[in-house]
Amino acid sequence: MTILEKVAYLRGLSEGLGIDETSKEGRVFKAIIDVLDDISLTVSDLEDDVAELSDGLDEIDEDLGALEEEFYGDEYDDDECGCGCGCEDECDDDDELYEVTCPACGDSIYVNEEMLDEGFIHCPNCHEKLEFDFECDDCDDCDCDDDHE
């Protein structure tokens, strides 16, 4: 039973009970049922709008999927690990990822060695510049070109 049907049922009950709409109580019951009727019509309209928006969103999602397929092709179809290397199982790539937390927005960002070597990145969420500066504690095991004196 929909909300509209329930309000119609209440209206029928009040009419069937013979409530006098000229009395104080009768006017209150009539006003309550009228408000419930208005609310139920509004809710029904909102449900229709949400259904329409949902259908439109599904169409956009399908269109985006078609565009991604056209743009990327089969490049990422079998990519289970999400790295873009095309592997079907967990990636055996030696490219380690490091989790960095943006101090401005708190977003977690995953960076690889190459990104760290550049010295900075921009947070994809808030576009804050994140700089990376590493100093070696053990110069014997260091592969960098810095003079650690």
Side-chain angles (χ1 to χ4, degrees):
M1 189 179 259
T2 67
I3 294 175
L4 288 171
E5 293 169 335
K6 289 178 182 179
V7 172
Y9 175 74
L10 287 175
R11 186 178 302 280
L13 275 180
S14 69
E15 289 172 1
L17 290 175
I19 296 176
D20 183 16
E21 292 182 6
T22 58
S23 70
K24 292 180 184 179
E25 295 84 9
R27 288 192 305 248
V28 169
F29 282 127
K30 181 181 179 336
I32 289 172
I33 291 173
D34 288 342
V35 169
L36 287 174
D37 193 37
D38 291 343
I39 291 171
S40 66
L41 289 171
T42 302
V43 168
S44 179
D45 289 345
L46 288 173
E47 288 173 341
D48 293 343
D49 290 345
V50 167
E52 186 178 328
L53 285 172
S54 180
D55 291 343
L57 186 59
D58 288 342
E59 288 179 25
I60 290 171
D61 185 44
E62 289 172 10
D63 291 345
L64 180 59
L67 285 173
E68 286 175 341
E69 179 67 30
E70 184 178 322
F71 185 77
Y72 293 116
D74 294 334
E75 184 177 345
Y76 296 106
D77 283 350
D78 296 329
D79 187 15
E80 292 291 325
C81 70
C83 70
C85 67
C87 60
E88 293 182 13
D89 297 323
E90 195 167 315
C91 186
D92 293 331
D93 196 2
D94 290 334
D95 197 17
E96 262 187 82
L97 294 177
Y98 303 96
E99 183 177 6
V100 177
T101 302
C102 176
C105 68
D107 193 24
S108 292
I109 306 160
Y110 292 92
V111 296
N112 59 22
E113 198 70 40
E114 184 179 314
M115 296 165 97
L116 291 175
D117 288 342
E118 288 180 24
F120 72 94
I121 63 166
H122 290 279
C123 175
N125 188 36
C126 69
H127 307 291
E128 180 78 20
K129 184 177 181 178
L130 306 176
E131 297 186 56
F132 307 109
D133 184 26
F134 296 100
E135 293 184 13
C136 299
D137 292 333
D138 188 5
C139 291
D140 296 333
D141 296 332
C142 180
D143 292 335
C144 67
D145 297 329
D146 292 339
D147 186 17
H148 299 289
E149 293 184 30

